[in-house]
Amino acid sequence: MRVFSSVVLPAFVTIALSVTASASQAAPVKVFILCGQSNMEGKGAIKHLEQLLADPATAKAYQHLRNDNGWIERNDVFIKYNDDRGQGKLGLGYGTPTNRFGPELQFGHVVGNAFDEKVLIIKCAWGGRALAVRFRPPSSGKGDYTQRNRETKELEPLPEETYGEAYRDTIRIVKETLAGIDQVVPDYDPQEGYELSGFVFFQGFNDIIDQKKMDEYGQNLENLVRDVRKDLDAPKLPFVIGELGQQGVEPEKRYAQKHFAFRKMQEDVSKLPEFTGNVAFVKTSPYIVKDGESFDGGYHYYGRADTFFNIGNAFGEAMVKMVKSN
């Protein structure tokens, strides 16, 4: 962060300083953090993506992902995935497992096309993590959940270090990546620097299946936004909340009430006065294809490439709108 004093300077000196500052800040790398559980890890089947590209009826939407030489990697968008799941130019190969992809793919294309600056995506995602437990933000304090002892079969309190484990890992990975950003972004210029430009949180399944965790989800999500901004020293960091839309626009009747209530909690956080214009709730349920081929059983949005592509696109468009408006 650059700090300028309030001392009055001669006009020509002020102009010179202004030009110098503008030049040095002309093209900072835009950094976006994508965080969540298994759907953010990415379950879109590359096999399905190949089918979509082979079908003339659908190929046009995906043609920017491949050329005659194979799958395209962008020269202006880079990615770092967790500690050990790879880094490099944005392309395929950053899902879990590696024959899958997640929202990062089309998100990266959207933000890469929208900004002249280079882009770095830091992806922090682990399956099976609840916001009430492992993603628990510091402001929520310690939870009071239990686990069953494998030997005695008795319930016992979760170890204290379990709470916030994924949250702390996310903050750590972001800070470590930025400290060594020249190892991820080729030809990185420290004079131009980087700027934290946005955070996407796509998570919720492990909370909705436990009523106690669901009941505190709204407050935990509020705290997550505030704590991320505080711990990354980015007070107005644009924040996208991805809807838990697994059941589609019309969930099964036996689950509908719970899913609609959960989605409302997510959306209500984005409507808080302090978050107006800098937190966006993005629906993912419209991209569910229930009557098509499934590539992941009934889980993870059926593992469909078109669904994960469209979710990434929606996240990207919402993020670009916030960044440009701010």
Side-chain angles (χ1 to χ4, degrees), residues 10-308:
F12 73 90
V13 176
T14 304
I15 293 172
L17 279 176
S18 177
V19 170
T20 302
S22 297
S24 66
Q25 300 180 57
V29 174
K30 289 193 170 295
V31 180
F32 297 95
I33 303 152
L34 273 58
C35 179
Q37 55 181 127
S38 56
N39 288 317
M40 184 59 92
E41 282 186 313
K43 306 300 179 184
I46 295 176
K47 173 185 176 182
H48 186 215
L49 186 58
E50 291 171 338
Q51 293 176 10
L52 294 167
L53 278 160
D55 185 346
T58 55
K60 185 176 180 180
Y62 311 98
Q63 61 186 4
H64 61 287
L65 301 177
R66 191 169 68 184
N67 59 25
D68 293 340
N69 297 318
W71 298 109
I72 290 174
E73 293 183 333
R74 291 192 66 125
N75 292 316
D76 58 345
V77 182
F78 307 90
I79 184 169
K80 163 76 172 177
Y81 182 14
N82 285 0
D83 286 310
D84 56 358
R85 296 191 186 178
Q87 65 182 55
K89 296 179 180 179
L90 179 72
L92 292 177
Y94 296 102
T96 301
T98 54
N99 63 348
R100 305 274 172 159
F101 70 92
E104 78 287 335
L105 182 62
Q106 182 59 10
F107 177 91
H109 280 278
V110 172
V111 297
N113 292 342
F115 302 111
D116 293 332
E117 300 91 338
K118 290 180 180 179
V119 168
L120 170 61
I121 295 171
I122 304 175
K123 180 172 163 179
C124 305
W126 304 270
R129 303 295 194 267
L131 180 56
V133 182
R134 294 184 188 273
F135 273 116
R136 194 176 187 87
S139 293
S140 291
K142 190 180 75 171
D144 59 349
Y145 292 91
T146 59
Q147 65 182 3
R148 194 169 296 280
N149 187 297
R150 292 184 179 181
E151 295 180 0
T152 67
K153 309 302 180 185
E154 298 292 328
L155 289 176
E156 59 186 19
L158 280 174
E160 186 171 346
E161 63 270 18
T162 305
Y163 295 103
E165 178 186 60
Y167 176 91
R168 293 189 298 274
D169 278 342
T170 297
I171 299 300
R172 175 186 58 77
I173 290 169
V174 170
K175 289 184 175 181
E176 289 179 357
T177 301
L178 294 177
I181 191 172
D182 58 325
Q183 302 299 309
V184 186
V185 179
D187 301 319
Y188 172 73
D189 185 347
Q191 293 300 313
E192 294 178 346
Y194 64 81
E195 62 180 16
L196 286 171
S197 298
F199 193 105
V200 181
F201 191 62
F202 188 28
Q203 184 275 346
F205 187 79
N206 276 69
D207 294 271
I208 199 173
I209 60 175
D210 182 319
Q211 189 61 51
K212 182 179 177 181
K213 293 173 183 175
M214 179 174 167
D215 288 343
E216 62 171 299
Y217 193 86
Q219 185 61 61
N220 286 335
L221 188 56
E222 286 182 40
N223 291 341
L224 180 80
V225 178
R226 298 186 188 107
D227 287 352
V228 162
R229 288 172 167 177
K230 177 183 177 181
D231 288 339
L232 294 180
D233 193 23
K236 294 294 183 180
L237 182 67
F239 208 104
V240 165
I241 298 169
E243 176 192 50
L244 181 65
Q246 178 65 36
Q247 284 275 320
V249 175
E250 294 295 335
E252 294 179 45
K253 288 185 178 180
R254 58 177 173 164
Y255 300 127
Q257 184 176 357
K258 174 173 281 194
H259 277 264
F260 287 139
F262 193 88
R263 294 171 189 180
K264 185 177 185 302
M265 280 193 291
Q266 292 182 304
E267 185 172 14
D268 284 349
V269 171
S270 73
K271 293 180 177 179
L272 292 172
E274 68 183 285
F275 295 156
T276 300
N278 56 68
V279 176
F281 171 72
V282 176
K283 290 183 177 293
T284 64
S285 53
Y287 308 118
I288 286 278
V289 180
K290 291 185 175 181
D291 56 355
E293 185 177 358
S294 174
F295 297 84
D296 198 0
Y299 295 97
H300 304 119
Y301 295 78
Y302 302 105
R304 291 182 60 92
D306 48 5
T307 300
F308 277 89

